């Protein structure tokens, strides 16, 4: 096995464990806050996307075949993951109006990223 495959497998396992901890931590909270729950599930979605990303890289070998394909796949997965992590932080820190502005701006950037890779 190559060291790249082992690294991707390790990353997959790490994010699987993080996802499990995030899901199980829901049962350890005595008071449920809606904003806190939305932030938790945003982090779970980000971790699941990263698990899918590493699984696809191991199964299809995007990074092993060429650096260009690996970079494109990384950008297509890391962009929404970055949004979800930042959204979970902003959900706890900012008021609703400011968070919606951020979501709108990032939604536009996300669509522009996918359109740019779709046309290229």
């Amino acid at each position: 096995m190559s060291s790249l495959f082992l690294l991707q497998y390790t990353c997959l396992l790490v994010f699987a464990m993080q996802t499990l901890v995030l899901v199980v931590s829901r049962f350890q909270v005595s008071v449920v806050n809606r904003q806190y729950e939305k932030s938790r599930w945003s982090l779970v979605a980000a971790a699941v996307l990263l698990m899918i990303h590493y699984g696809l890289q191991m199964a299809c070998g995007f990074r092993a075949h060429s650096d260009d394909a690996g970079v494109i796949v990384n950008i297509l997965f890391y962009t929404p993951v970055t949004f979800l992590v930042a959204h979970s932080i902003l959900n706890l820190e900012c008021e609703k109006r400011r968070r919606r502005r951020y979501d709108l701006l990032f939604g536009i950037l996300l669509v522009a990223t996918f359109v740019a890779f779709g046309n290229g």
Side-chain angles (χ1 to χ4, degrees), residues 1 16 46 63 71-73 75 83 90 111 114:
M1 286 191 175
R63 178 61 74 182
V71 167
I72 290 172
V73 170
I75 290 172
F83 165 71
L90 287 172
V111 168
F114 288 140

Side-chain angles (χ1 to χ4, degrees), residues 19-32 36-37 40-41:
T19 305
L20 183 62
V21 167
L22 283 168
V23 170
V24 170
S25 69
R26 164 65 178 93
F27 302 113
Q28 297 174 345
V29 177
S30 60
V31 178
V32 177
Y36 184 72
E37 287 301 312
R40 181 197 328 271
W41 290 112

Side-chain angles (χ1 to χ4, degrees), residues 39-98:
S39 294
R40 181 197 328 271
W41 290 112
S42 291
L43 288 175
V44 168
V48 168
L49 271 175
L50 285 172
M51 287 184 342
I52 292 169
H53 171 255
Y54 289 117
L56 280 176
Q57 279 200 358
M58 287 187 315
C60 301
F62 295 118
R63 178 61 74 182
H65 293 305
S66 104
D67 284 339
D68 296 336
V71 167
I72 290 172
V73 170
N74 284 347
I75 290 172
L76 291 177
F77 274 93
Y78 289 159
T79 305
V81 167
T82 303
F83 165 71
L84 288 169
V85 170
H87 178 76
S88 68
I89 294 168
L90 287 172
N91 191 35
L92 296 175
E93 297 292 328
C94 296
E95 69 272 0
K96 192 173 189 176
R97 184 173 158 224
R98 189 170 176 196

